[in-house]
Amino acid sequence: MANEEKSLICKNVLYAGEGEIPSFQHGSKATFHFKTFKNDEDRTQIDCSRDLGQPFELLIGKKFKLEVWEELIKTMREKEVARFTCDKSLVGGYGIVSKSLRTVSKKAKGEFTEEHNHHEHSCSLSAMKSTGYPDLDDLLVNEQDLIFEIELLKYEKPGEYKKETWQMDADEKLSNVPGLKEAGNKLYQQKRYKEAAEKYAEAMGCLEQLCLHEKPGDAPWLNLDKMKIPFLLNYAQCKLFLGDFYEVIEHTSTVLEKDKDNVKALFRRAKAHVKCWNPKEARDDFDRVAALDPSLTKTVKKELDELERLAKLHDAEDRDRLKALFQ
């Protein structure tokens, strides 16, 4: 920590911790709990990570928005608890960071509503004049010193922890995709469809993020976009077993936008249309499957016969409902 910055931070060790201060290599991860207070007479609490639901994970050297946190952590031992009083010039971004943490916490607890979402959008348009939290709005308007109580739970060197997708560079994301496919396939064979779908979704997430760095329509973008197709199909098959039929229709339609004659996508979408009771769309997809792959004619006929049976059943139920209304 630079001498000038040291003078802007006052550290008080509450518990000494264990071992030596780690080297804090670039790309290592620090996991810690924190409490944030105003530096006023009452020491007003602003946030507590335990109340938010989980400890915070900081990747060293990744230029986190609140840079002072990295500098504080670098002075600590594992299990150490320390109180840092930081000058207002170092904590100007805390209100925005806190808003993000609170939003993540609300989503995890199922407390994030459409009203919150509308407010988030409005805030982005108004250049963050309001966060939606009065105490954070006060920090934005009236810059002030803050106190952080930090408990360093764990320090992990690069390679000692499993990286989340967002933590990976482009090469790591690309090399991660085959392993996710293999893991998903294995879970699928075990009929663990929910877990398999999560692996396929993670792989698609990697590919989506890689596409963002390429120009749409260029060869690298097209190659990455094509790589999504088997994952979309596998994901849709899992969702078919799980009964999430509208998701099946959505993802198979995405495949068909890229490959209009994809038989697997047409067949799986047809099955989902039946379950959502879109009989015309189901017939159209089944007919196209039979036209594209004559070897599936018998299978398609069986599906169409079942669709006809269901249509008669629906007609009978409709007639009964009409009779009941007139009676």
Side-chain angles (χ1 to χ4, degrees), residues 165-226:
T165 302
W166 65 269
Q167 297 169 340
M168 299 177 182
D169 61 28
D171 290 338
E172 289 173 322
K173 286 173 186 171
L174 191 58
S175 63
N176 195 38
V177 169
L180 289 169
K181 183 179 181 182
E182 184 179 345
N185 291 348
K186 187 174 181 180
L187 290 164
Y188 180 86
Q189 290 165 5
Q190 296 169 355
K191 299 185 178 180
R192 294 164 62 185
Y193 302 122
K194 184 176 183 295
E195 294 97 323
E198 289 170 356
K199 293 296 180 184
Y200 297 138
E202 190 177 345
M204 286 190 287
C206 286
L207 294 171
E208 287 284 358
Q209 290 172 31
L210 289 168
C211 281
L212 293 175
H213 297 285
E214 303 295 343
K215 183 179 179 181
D218 282 0
W221 186 92
L222 290 171
N223 288 336
L224 290 166
D225 196 51
K226 188 176 180 181

Side-chain angles (χ1 to χ4, degrees), residues 130-149:
S130 172
T131 64
Y133 300 97
D135 58 339
L136 300 184
D137 289 344
D138 180 57
L139 293 182
L140 291 178
V141 176
N142 303 304
E143 292 187 356
Q144 53 200 278
D145 298 352
L146 292 179
I147 298 171
F148 301 109
E149 279 189 12

Side-chain angles (χ1 to χ4, degrees), residues 37-294:
F37 304 89
K38 289 184 177 181
N39 190 22
D40 55 15
E41 287 186 12
D42 298 326
R43 192 174 288 173
T44 306
Q45 182 171 304
I46 301 172
D47 286 314
C48 172
S49 58
R50 286 185 168 86
D51 293 340
L52 292 172
Q54 60 185 7
F56 189 80
E57 295 179 348
L58 179 68
L59 293 183
I60 303 300
K62 294 295 184 179
K63 296 184 178 178
F64 180 60
K65 290 178 183 177
L66 193 64
E67 293 181 14
V68 70
W69 268 7
E70 182 171 322
E71 298 307 317
L72 304 183
I73 290 294
K74 284 180 177 179
T75 71
M76 300 181 70
R77 297 174 171 82
E78 276 195 321
K79 312 301 181 187
E80 179 181 328
V81 182
R83 181 181 298 136
F84 300 89
T85 303
C86 299
D87 186 83
K88 62 184 180 182
S89 63
L90 301 176
V91 296
Y94 182 77
I96 306 304
V97 169
S98 176
K99 173 182 176 292
S100 298
L101 295 177
R102 293 182 189 187
T103 299
V104 170
S105 176
K106 282 181 178 292
K107 287 181 177 179
K109 295 174 182 177
E111 298 171 359
F112 196 80
T113 64
E114 283 301 315
E115 184 179 351
H116 286 111
N117 192 45
H118 173 73
H119 184 81
E120 294 282 310
H121 182 66
S122 300
C123 286
S124 66
L125 291 176
S126 60
M128 290 307 300
K129 291 177 183 176
S130 172
T131 64
Y133 300 97
D135 58 339
L136 300 184
D137 289 344
D138 180 57
L139 293 182
L140 291 178
V141 176
N142 303 304
E143 292 187 356
Q144 53 200 278
D145 298 352
L146 292 179
I147 298 171
F148 301 109
E149 279 189 12
I150 295 178
E151 177 185 358
L152 181 56
L153 302 173
K154 184 167 55 175
Y155 166 75
E156 297 168 281
K157 296 177 183 178
E160 292 183 345
Y161 62 92
K162 183 181 181 295
K163 286 186 178 181
E164 300 292 333
T165 302
W166 65 269
Q167 297 169 340
M168 299 177 182
D169 61 28
D171 290 338
E172 289 173 322
K173 286 173 186 171
L174 191 58
S175 63
N176 195 38
V177 169
L180 289 169
K181 183 179 181 182
E182 184 179 345
N185 291 348
K186 187 174 181 180
L187 290 164
Y188 180 86
Q189 290 165 5
Q190 296 169 355
K191 299 185 178 180
R192 294 164 62 185
Y193 302 122
K194 184 176 183 295
E195 294 97 323
E198 289 170 356
K199 293 296 180 184
Y200 297 138
E202 190 177 345
M204 286 190 287
C206 286
L207 294 171
E208 287 284 358
Q209 290 172 31
L210 289 168
C211 281
L212 293 175
H213 297 285
E214 303 295 343
K215 183 179 179 181
D218 282 0
W221 186 92
L222 290 171
N223 288 336
L224 290 166
D225 196 51
K226 188 176 180 181
M227 287 174 67
K228 296 178 197 172
I229 290 178
F231 292 105
L232 286 163
L233 289 169
N234 291 353
Y235 183 85
Q237 183 63 51
C238 290
K239 290 296 180 177
L240 198 58
F241 281 118
L242 293 168
D244 297 331
F245 304 118
Y246 288 103
E247 276 207 68
V248 176
I249 293 170
E250 177 187 348
H251 287 83
T252 50
S253 295
T254 299
V255 171
L256 291 164
E257 288 171 7
K258 307 172 191 296
D259 179 8
K260 64 184 179 65
D261 294 333
N262 191 292
V263 172
K264 287 182 179 179
L266 286 163
F267 190 81
R268 289 167 195 177
R269 189 171 72 173
K271 297 274 283 185
H273 275 313
V274 172
K275 294 295 184 180
C276 295
W277 198 240
N278 302 318
K280 181 184 181 304
E281 290 84 351
R283 286 190 190 95
D284 289 346
D285 281 348
F286 280 133
D287 287 341
R288 184 142 181 77
V289 168
L292 289 168
D293 190 347

